[in-house]
Amino acid sequence: MNEQAQILKEEGNALYKKGNLELAIEKYSQASKRCPDDPVFQSNISAAYFELGRYEPCLQSIDLSLSVANSNIPLQAKLLLRKARCLLMLKRLEDSKQVIEQLVKVCEGNSLPIAEECKSIQKIIEESLLHKEYLLNSEVAHHHLLSLPKYRPASDTAALEYFVIGHDAASSLLSGSFNKRDSLTLGCEHRLMVSQVVPPVSVFFGGVGDGRHTFSTLVDIAEQMKGMKDFSKFSVHFTMIDIKAAAIAR
């Protein structure tokens, strides 16, 4: 390994550990230019991009690293797992499934520490494919949310309960009540656009109950984020409180 490239890599690692991911990418990129045949640098770049939520450039770095990691089986497996996660986050479920199948073949006959993690991601992908209609279509997911029964039986335990019957319509804290089925944004005069606020966005739910408003807010945020290309500076913090612990767990 080029000595200068090694120094740049160590500097990048230090920045990565401190959370300075953009600067870490710059250091890894400089190191990669000096040693383009070393897969480690592009692998590190992909790890930083993944942490930033920038999945498209992450996939590009993964493919560049894989192209020169022919004899490094552990690194190949690590990169394929990260690639499957990227594709899953991008909702490219079928592509993610194919990568996992490729990873399973790489793991066969090799005692790799990520084998169990691979099975876990594989299970998530399989479950996601079962609910693909809801994951890929926000209107269908929203309609499904509104169709959930508003009646919930009282607990058999002596624990305190609020409302046996949930009588309020699902709403987003960002945009108010979802009064019209054909659009998440109709009927909302004062809509808060997440792209126009300084992150992080913080929302508070007191007496979260069955979580209908929590999930509605998540649906609204997901709908708004469709047009965002860079998630690195976007974060949402949810705080939920309820008199009954089981409500939070549920």
Side-chain angles (χ1 to χ4, degrees):
M1 180 184 293
N2 182 287
E3 183 177 350
Q4 185 60 34
Q6 179 62 29
I7 293 172
L8 288 166
K9 176 192 171 187
E10 291 174 359
E11 291 176 353
N13 289 344
L15 290 165
Y16 185 98
K17 290 176 182 178
K18 291 179 181 179
N20 297 325
L21 301 175
E22 294 283 3
L23 292 176
I25 289 172
E26 290 181 13
K27 295 293 182 180
Y28 294 142
S29 298
Q30 293 173 26
S32 181
K33 288 178 180 178
R34 286 171 170 77
C35 291
D37 294 331
D38 193 324
V40 173
F41 304 127
Q42 286 295 332
S43 174
N44 290 353
I45 291 171
S46 72
Y49 274 134
F50 187 86
E51 292 299 322
L52 286 169
R54 297 172 62 182
Y55 302 117
E56 291 293 354
C58 179
L59 288 172
Q60 294 173 10
S61 294
I62 289 171
D63 289 338
L64 285 172
S65 183
L66 284 171
S67 67
V68 291
N70 300 323
S71 59
N72 193 333
I73 300 300
L75 182 60
Q76 283 183 31
K78 185 178 180 180
L79 288 165
L80 288 171
L81 183 61
R82 186 175 298 144
K83 185 173 184 177
R85 284 175 168 167
C86 274
L87 293 167
L88 185 61
M89 296 302 292
L90 292 170
K91 297 181 182 179
R92 292 167 55 182
L93 304 180
E94 294 292 346
D95 292 339
S96 184
K97 181 182 178 182
Q98 290 179 9
V99 172
I100 281 293
E101 290 172 351
Q102 184 181 354
L103 176 56
V104 169
K105 293 180 180 179
V106 171
C107 290
E108 288 178 356
N110 296 289
S111 180
L112 299 174
I114 67 167
E116 288 302 316
E117 200 170 355
C118 172
K119 292 179 182 178
S120 176
I121 297 297
Q122 190 173 23
K123 184 177 179 180
I124 292 173
I125 293 170
E126 290 172 355
E127 291 177 353
S128 298
L129 285 168
L130 290 175
H131 304 285
K132 181 169 62 174
E133 182 182 15
Y134 301 123
L135 289 171
L136 302 182
N137 190 322
S138 60
E139 290 186 6
V140 173
H142 175 232
H143 176 64
H144 178 69
L145 175 65
L146 293 182
S147 68
L148 293 174
K150 294 184 178 181
Y151 175 81
R152 182 171 58 81
S155 172
D156 292 332
T157 68
L160 293 174
E161 277 286 349
Y162 277 133
F163 301 104
V164 175
I165 299 176
H167 56 276
D168 50 344
S171 63
S172 164
L173 290 194
L174 301 185
S175 64
S177 177
F178 291 160
N179 293 320
K180 297 188 178 181
R181 173 182 168 185
D182 58 342
S183 173
L184 297 179
T185 61
L186 292 177
C188 308
E189 296 179 1
H190 304 290
R191 188 171 199 225
L192 174 62
M193 301 301 295
V194 295
S195 60
Q196 297 173 354
V197 299
V198 178
V201 177
S202 297
V203 290
F204 174 85
F205 298 91
V208 67
D210 61 6
R212 67 187 63 198
H213 305 304
T214 307
F215 288 115
S216 293
T217 302
L218 282 169
V219 169
D220 189 14
I221 291 172
E223 180 71 14
Q224 291 194 40
M225 289 176 68
K226 279 184 176 179
M228 296 175 65
K229 295 182 179 179
D230 184 4
F231 302 95
S232 62
K233 297 180 180 179
F234 179 76
S235 63
V236 184
H237 180 82
F238 283 83
T239 301
M240 296 177 285
I241 292 181
D242 200 279
I243 196 170
K244 186 178 179 186
I248 305 293
R250 183 173 59 244

